[in-house]
Structure formats: C-alpha cells, structure tokens
Amino acid sequence: MPVTCSHAIRGSFFDITRTVSTPDELLDAARYIEDGLLLLNAGKIVSLSPWQEESSQLPPGCELVDYRGKLIVPGFVDTHIHYPQTEMIGAFGEQLLEWLNQYTFPVESQYHCPQHSAQMSAFFLQQLLSNGTTTALVFGTVHPESVDALFSAAHGLGMRLIAGKVMMDRHAPEALTETPEQSYRQTRELIERWHNVGRLSYALTPRFAPTSSPQLLEKVRQLRQEFPDTWLHTHLSENPQEVAWVKALFPENSGYLDVYHQYQLTGRRSLFAHCLHLEDEEWDCLHHTDSAVAFCPTSNLFLGSGLFDLQTCWQKGVKMGVGTDVGAGTTFNMLQTLGEAYKVGQLQRYKLSACEAFYHATLGGAKALDLDRHIGSFMPGKDADFVAIDPAVSALQTLRHGNSRDIWEKLFVLMTLGDDRNIAATWVEGRCVWQCDKSRQAA
Ligand SMILES: [Zn+2]
C-alpha cells in the first residue's frame, strides 16, 4: 500500500496490459477484475488489484469513489479527428474531393477568428470527454489561431492531446492557402509555443499530398528534421479518385505513400489516416518505417471511400489505431465506431472480437501514437485517464446485458448497442472532468 494516494476507485475493470503483434496474443494480455480497486496519486495510476486484497488498507485521506455496477476502461484514444469539422458533421451526398470543396473548406475558413476557434474548441473537447475519449490526434485549420485555441482549452483541462495547424499551399480556396515560407514560420512558432507544454504535443499536419506543393513538403521535411520529436499527421489513400490525382500530380513517385516517404515524413511518430487502397509495397514501407495508420470506419462508410483491410494490417505488422474522423465520421463515440469497425470486418469475412476492438481503441491506439508508455492501460505509473461505462442505459441494453454470459459478450453488446448515453464519467490526469447528468438522461 502506498504512503500517499488521492483517490481509490471501486468498480469492474477491463484493460489490455501489454501491446501485441498478433490478435491471438490478446486474450492472454487482457485483464478483467470484476470487483477491483484502482489507486491514483498525483494524476498517475498507483495500482489495480482485486477489492478484497487492498480495501482493508486504504491510506488515510484517500477519497473512495464507488463505481460499482460500472465497467471502467482506459480512456479512449481517437487517432484521427478534425475539430473544425464538428459543426458540419452529417453533410449530404458527396465523396471525398467534392465533399472537401463543398462543405469542408467553407467551414474551415471561419477559424481565423480567435473567438470562433475558442468557442468550437471548448465544444469539441466536451464532445470528446462526454464520449469517454481522453486523448486525440487532431487536425486544426490552416490558421494558427485555430490551434492556439484548441491547445489552450486542452491545457486547461489537463488533457493529453496532439494537434497541429494544417499546412496547405494549393488546390484549396485562397483564404485557406499559404506560402511554404509562411507555413514553415507559423508552424515553427506553434511548436515553440505548445510542443511538450504539459501533456500537449505538436503534429506537423500537411492536409494531404494534393494540397501540398513539393516546396511545401520540403518545408515539412525541414521542420521534422529540426524538431524530431514532433508527430506527423496526414491522410493517405482514402479515395480512388484521390489516389489517381496524386499519381498525376507526382508522376515521378512510385505511388501515393512514396510522396511522403521521399520527404522523410514516414517514421515512428507518423500517422496516416485511412489507407484503404494501398499497394503491397506501401504496406511494407509503413512497416519498415514503423509508421502507423488510423482506421476510420464511420468516415469510410459515410463518404463511400472503401473498406479498411484489418487482416492485412496485422499481417504486415503495421501499427493501427481507430479514428472517428469527425466530420466525415458520423460520431465522436468510440463504442459506435467499434460497432461500425466490426461491420467493415464482416464485409471482408474478418471477425473483429470485442477484445481486439477495445485494444485498438485504447492501448493499440496509444501505441500507434507512440504514447503507450503513458496511456492505454491501468499499469502503474501511467496517466490516470479512464472512463466509467454504464453497461445498460436502455430497456434493450438492460435485457441484452442481463443475458450476456461473460465479459466478452458484454463488451461486444456495448460496441453494438452502446453510445454516449453509456459514458457515466470521464477522468483525466486523476480528476473527474465529465459526469453524466442522470436527470437529463432520464428525460
Ligand atoms: Zn481526416
């Protein structure tokens, strides 16, 4: 028993205790404690043990929080999302390239305004927290104001967040493009202002190859060399027309990923969203460079982009996390996103188990972001970021939860029927930052 401990949390706990290289290893790595006790101190996890073992020795001054009846899992990790697109979620009728022009660019052009950015940042972070997501890799807009507002709000909440300003110098409206020099200077200033401040980190964020001139990509390369511990966040191979466009724009490259690779933008902290139409050698390049990908099922289905090949991703040994990709994605909620991931698997005869799905949404996502030392499980010393889930909040859920035989079935039912109503409380850095309003839910 530790000398000091600020909080003791009682409830049922589920996590995956270590990263794995095949789905077969997951059952061994999974841990379920039906009546457990999680001790926290100074924003970190001290220990997780069965209630009977530790409850008699709670240190004095330690506040006991009773979440019996709730399932507590590590905070969800959203590996790809656009905060300025929150206000345009559910835009009708278009696929990627038309959708960008018709809906996305007009909305993003508002984020030069610090007040609008601040207002939407606060709204966005509340959406994340009320859905149990405690860490995200986030696109801003081309305006530094958008990123200043987001980082400032996340810092106030103590969240672990990675974000960056979009870098974009062509094939977009004039109000949203910049020169490569301007992009370099503004990005550099943001890195110096925010990177490694508290739990914030900076991601170099070229939107995607079609909106990047070779000169801009050269500036991204230069920044990565100057700030080697920053992240790289972009899109890759989402839509067949987009892939063809990249080939036309960069005829000297062997393929889409090769454009990024040539500018040394692949690597351990590089994350590529979507990856739906990759060639075999592109998967190999992702593996060899230790790059990661984000699987965004609701977005891929909504924009009709294609089906992510989870089986190949495992076979090729490529790190993967789940992304909601709001606003092409249709929910902030990770339970719903996992339910859609399962259906994407079904269409390709791949059985995504609940254990695997929760791994991708927690420790697997953390590994994809190179943050698995800090978050993603209840191992001692990790950040105390977690979510208490109410497993049954409707008549249908109560019926189905009640007849579920074991934790695997309960988790699977949660990802099939669950949504934001199931999120009872969200904790960040050892503090409860969001709690479900029961009176409102009942209404
Ligand atoms: Zn995206």
Side-chain angles (χ1 to χ4, degrees):
M1 184 58 56
V3 182
T4 51
C5 146
S6 62
H7 293 87
I9 316 284
R10 184 177 187 183
S12 299
F13 291 85
F14 177 79
D15 70 343
I16 312 285
T17 56
R18 57 182 162 82
T19 58
V20 299
S21 46
T22 70
D24 302 337
E25 301 164 51
L26 281 167
L27 281 183
D28 274 350
R31 166 171 59 172
Y32 175 58
I33 303 179
E34 193 157 358
D35 188 7
L37 182 65
L38 181 74
L39 298 182
L40 318 176
N41 197 47
K44 303 280 183 199
I45 288 163
V46 175
S47 65
L48 172 60
S49 47
W51 168 259
Q52 308 91 307
E53 282 178 21
E54 296 285 348
S55 56
S56 58
Q57 308 172 50
L58 280 180
C62 174
E63 184 186 338
L64 179 65
V65 181
D66 192 345
Y67 282 139
R68 269 179 290 176
K70 310 274 189 293
L71 176 68
I72 302 167
V73 301
F76 295 127
V77 178
D78 189 334
T79 57
H80 179 63
I81 188 166
H82 301 249
Y83 101 82
Q85 294 176 17
T86 303
E87 56 187 295
M88 51 151 291
I89 190 168
F92 173 75
E94 303 298 345
Q95 296 214 345
L96 176 65
L97 300 176
E98 298 76 26
W99 175 88
L100 279 172
N101 284 317
Q102 192 167 328
Y103 297 116
T104 310
F105 291 151
V107 164
E108 290 195 3
S109 62
Q110 303 170 84
Y111 285 75
H112 62 89
C113 170
Q115 287 78 19
H116 187 70
S117 298
Q119 198 182 345
M120 289 313 299
S121 292
F123 185 90
F124 171 79
L125 294 177
Q126 282 309 304
Q127 286 298 306
L128 289 183
L129 295 173
S130 63
N131 281 285
T133 297
T134 51
T135 286
L137 175 59
V138 189
F139 259 70
T141 66
V142 74
H143 316 96
E145 293 85 354
S146 72
V147 176
D148 280 326
L150 182 69
F151 274 142
S152 167
H155 192 49
L157 288 161
M159 284 180 79
R160 186 174 283 285
L161 199 87
I162 313 175
K165 137 191 159 50
V166 166
M167 305 175 80
M168 172 156 78
D169 73 335
R170 64 175 176 172
H171 300 135
E174 210 181 310
L176 289 178
T177 51
E178 53 189 349
T179 63
E181 292 70 28
Q182 190 183 357
S183 193
Y184 170 84
R185 182 173 44 78
Q186 292 185 339
T187 300
R188 199 188 159 97
E189 286 167 6
L190 285 167
I191 293 170
E192 286 167 346
R193 194 144 64 238
W194 293 110
H195 186 51
N196 295 332
V197 172
R199 296 203 297 160
L200 307 176
S201 304
Y202 198 87
L204 305 170
T205 311
R207 173 164 231 118
F208 66 155
T211 51
S212 309
S213 70
Q215 295 74 27
L216 184 94
L217 291 169
E218 176 54 34
K219 291 295 182 194
V220 187
R221 189 197 63 76
Q222 192 182 335
L223 284 162
R224 194 146 216 222
Q225 220 162 36
E226 290 168 355
F227 302 96
D229 68 336
T230 54
W231 277 253
L232 183 288
H233 183 197
T234 190
H235 297 94
L236 172 64
S237 201
E238 177 175 2
N239 170 291
Q241 277 88 46
E242 171 213 14
V243 175
W245 192 19
V246 172
K247 282 184 179 153
L249 289 170
F250 297 91
E252 68 283 7
N253 289 96
S254 64
Y256 195 159
L257 178 59
D258 188 50
V259 176
Y260 299 133
H261 187 60
Q262 183 199 331
Y263 288 96
Q264 296 159 5
L265 304 184
T266 47
R268 187 164 58 92
R269 289 188 170 181
S270 295
L271 185 126
F272 300 96
H274 305 304
C275 300
L276 303 180
H277 311 283
L278 295 183
E279 305 289 337
D280 215 37
E281 50 272 24
E282 293 181 299
W283 281 111
D284 292 337
C285 176
L286 290 171
H287 170 78
H288 293 313
T289 56
D290 202 18
S291 304
V293 304
F295 171 21
C296 309
T298 73
S299 165
N300 299 159
L301 295 170
F302 185 73
L303 292 182
S305 302
L307 301 176
F308 182 78
D309 186 348
L310 201 44
Q311 187 153 14
T312 297
C313 188
W314 277 116
Q315 282 165 355
K316 293 288 188 179
V318 174
K319 297 178 299 186
M320 189 213 87
V322 176
T324 59
D325 194 25
V326 164
T330 50
T331 178
F332 279 81
N333 189 264
M334 198 52 81
L335 299 172
Q336 290 182 305
T337 305
L338 297 180
E340 296 306 295
Y342 174 78
K343 295 172 196 169
V344 168
Q346 279 288 59
L347 285 166
Q348 301 169 96
R349 300 282 176 269
Y350 183 86
K351 290 184 193 177
L352 177 65
S353 71
C355 186
E356 182 184 342
F358 275 79
Y359 172 71
H360 293 313
T362 56
L363 188 61
K367 184 176 168 66
L369 296 183
D370 196 33
L371 291 176
D372 49 308
R373 279 171 295 118
H374 302 291
I375 56 170
S377 73
F378 294 118
M379 297 308 274
K382 286 201 177 181
D383 300 349
D385 293 356
F386 57 89
V387 50
I389 298 176
D390 194 336
V393 296
S394 69
L396 181 61
Q397 286 187 12
T398 304
L399 173 77
R400 190 64 185 88
H401 176 74
N403 67 24
S404 297
R405 286 157 305 175
D406 53 24
I407 182 64
W408 311 118
E409 194 170 355
K410 285 176 182 164
L411 287 171
F412 187 69
V413 167
L414 257 180
M415 65 190 249
T416 306
L417 299 180
D419 53 39
D420 57 332
R421 295 170 301 168
N422 296 89
I423 308 302
T426 304
W427 287 59
V428 156
E429 227 182 8
R431 286 176 300 114
C432 181
V433 290
W434 191 85
Q435 213 160 0
C436 174
D437 178 351
K438 280 287 172 198
S439 57
R440 201 185 52 202
Q441 193 178 73

